[in-house]
Amino acid sequence: MTVDAFQAAYEFTPEGEWAAPGRVNLIGEHTDYNDGFVMPFALPLTTRAAVARRDDGVLRLHSSADPSDTVWLRIDDLEPGGVDGWASYPAGVIWALHAAGHDAVRGADIHYDSTVPVGAGLSSSAALEVVTALALRDLYELPLQPWQLARLCQRAENVFVGAPTGIMDQTASACCTEGHALFLDTRDLSHRQIPFDLAARGLSLLVVDTGVKHAHSDGEYGRRRRGCEEGAAALGVDALRDVPYEGLDAALAEVKDESVRRLVRHIVTENRRVERVVALLEAGDARGIGPLLTEGHASLRDDFRVSCPELDLVVDTASDAGALGARMTGGGFGGSAIVLVEDGLCEKVEEAIAAAFDDAKLRSPRIFPATPSTGATRVR
Ligand code: GAF
């Protein structure tokens, strides 16, 4: 379908087709720009790109989300902040490749299709970046590993698009593997693939997309990031990752500003929760992670203050209806929550959430089960 749409848009056949997934973050929220731990897994929802090389310095971008418009750009004219809208993400990737010395990339025609919902906190931007980077790497035979592609995509997003995000989403999209969650140390990108086969244990992980949209570049995300940097500076450490959980009380006593103190508490306790979730999953106790998910949500709601009434409603309703645990996932301020639930209780929990949204006169959320899927790959 993506190849057909390419042919319809450009009137010739692409050289290949690639796919990169969105992600759910199981635990470890807002820790990635504090050099901490995260644990995302890839969704079966993907952004696909059909691509052909060009050698004239031109980039043409077409998307089935906006089929009436083909974006034309000259690679040599690309500069941070210079491209608006969705095209800034793929343009940023090409800019980042050039900035890193990969100037063999002389142009491309690309058509995109996506099943990753935009603004749902499921990393549609990272999927768009990573699919572009992977396709260009393969076609231009660039000597880049998936981890390096993730770093380049993060640079595209931070510098070219201007969104101060961490490295989690791009790494998840580029490096996750089917049936696993990725335990990632964002300080040095060391990692372990943790088996995460809930179906085998009679469990489901539901994604609840509240339909409330958020944007990273709108200020709140950056404010949290600066607050964390203030906390690290007040404590004399490179990053909040360096504050040990055992020394948390002493560290909190040193931070004067109440709101910064709360940010510090979230990051230190969240890193600890990631380590505990990893230990439980490695011990085969998937049910045991439920309370840690819900605890993580309370910390994001009360200390980090990135939740919103709709996300809290999902978590509270799911817990009351018997879920093992629930939390918001991703940057927050809207987007999606995840719910860990016994298979036999899925329907009851889904109905309870739908009814709660109905009672609150909120738009019905979209609810679907998430299966840990493959990271970015060439599909043809
Ligand atoms: C967004 C960002 F893009 C990630 O880097 C991460 O900080 C996340 O919010 C919060 O954990 O998805």
Side-chain angles (χ1 to χ4, degrees):
M1 184 187 137
T2 308
V3 165
D4 295 343
F6 180 103
Q7 270 162 340
Y10 297 115
E11 298 180 339
F12 69 99
T13 306
E15 293 181 86
E17 181 182 335
W18 289 259
R23 62 95 191 94
V24 150
N25 188 21
L26 184 61
I27 190 87
E29 220 64 87
H30 289 273
T31 44
D32 61 349
Y33 52 84
N34 289 290
D35 278 2
F37 303 127
V38 295
M39 207 177 174
F41 65 85
L43 288 169
L45 306 173
T46 59
T47 297
R48 288 184 172 235
V51 187
R53 283 169 289 179
R54 301 176 63 104
D55 59 7
D56 58 357
V58 169
L59 181 61
R60 289 195 296 174
L61 305 170
H62 184 265
S63 164
S64 45
D66 186 11
S68 60
D69 194 24
T70 301
V71 178
W72 286 68
L73 297 164
R74 292 205 64 81
I75 292 182
D76 291 342
D77 295 341
L78 294 177
E79 55 176 24
V83 179
D84 290 333
W86 69 270
S88 65
Y89 295 92
V93 168
I94 288 165
W95 171 85
L97 284 167
H98 270 241
H102 301 291
D103 44 19
V105 180
R106 285 313 307 151
D109 288 329
I110 312 183
H111 169 79
Y112 297 98
D113 282 323
S114 188
T115 53
V116 189
V118 174
L122 302 175
S123 288
S124 59
S125 333
L128 180 55
E129 292 155 4
V130 169
V131 76
T132 307
L134 185 70
L136 295 173
R137 181 203 68 173
D138 288 355
L139 287 175
Y140 284 99
E141 297 178 359
L142 307 175
L144 290 167
Q145 297 299 314
W147 310 93
Q148 296 169 301
L149 292 180
R151 280 264 185 242
L152 281 168
C153 290
Q154 185 199 14
R155 192 165 151 70
E157 186 150 342
N158 290 172
V159 182
F160 194 87
V161 179
T165 52
I167 187 71
M168 169 170 70
D169 299 348
Q170 295 82 0
T171 311
S173 188
C175 304
C176 279
T177 58
E178 197 176 340
H180 296 87
L182 180 72
F183 173 37
L184 175 71
D185 180 340
T186 61
R187 171 159 272 169
D188 59 7
L189 299 192
S190 59
H191 61 280
R192 283 210 305 278
Q193 302 280 358
I194 309 292
F196 190 54
D197 181 2
L198 292 175
R201 300 185 182 276
L203 296 174
S204 289
L205 195 97
L206 302 175
V207 176
V208 183
D209 175 3
T210 63
V212 179
K213 301 291 179 206
H214 67 114
H216 292 313
S217 35
D218 74 359
E220 286 300 323
Y221 184 96
R223 263 195 280 284
R224 297 302 182 287
R225 188 170 180 151
R226 285 192 297 279
C228 289
E229 283 159 7
E230 242 179 77
L235 292 166
V237 292
D238 285 346
L240 291 182
R241 145 65 177 286
D242 297 312
V243 180
Y245 179 75
E246 295 70 26
L248 178 59
D249 288 343
L252 292 177
E254 275 181 54
V255 181
K256 304 268 169 305
D257 185 300
E258 164 70 11
S259 62
V260 174
R261 200 157 50 232
R262 286 164 175 260
L263 299 181
V264 172
R265 187 164 54 201
H266 169 72
I267 297 302
V268 175
T269 58
E270 185 77 348
N271 277 326
R272 174 69 158 203
R273 279 186 285 274
V274 179
E275 292 179 307
R276 290 175 64 199
V277 165
V278 170
L280 285 165
L281 289 179
E282 288 189 326
D285 185 5
R287 282 176 179 77
I289 74 172
L292 290 166
L293 303 184
T294 311
E295 202 183 285
H297 183 79
S299 180
L300 288 160
R301 183 191 60 210
D302 303 335
D303 275 348
F304 219 71
R305 289 189 259 194
V306 290
S307 187
C308 65
E310 294 85 350
L311 290 168
D312 295 344
L313 184 62
V314 175
V315 171
D316 294 345
T317 310
S319 303
D320 290 349
L324 294 161
R327 61 182 288 273
M328 52 158 278
T329 189
F333 312 109
S336 299
I338 53 174
V339 178
L340 180 68
V341 61
E342 301 283 354
D343 279 343
L345 273 182
C346 273
E347 219 170 293
K348 181 180 172 208
V349 168
E350 286 186 38
E351 281 169 11
I353 294 170
F357 271 61
D358 200 39
D359 287 351
K361 306 217 172 344
L362 294 166
R363 202 172 75 187
S364 294
R366 177 178 171 222
I367 307 179
F368 58 94
T371 340
S373 302
T374 182
T377 179
R378 184 171 189 158
V379 290
R380 71 177 71 175

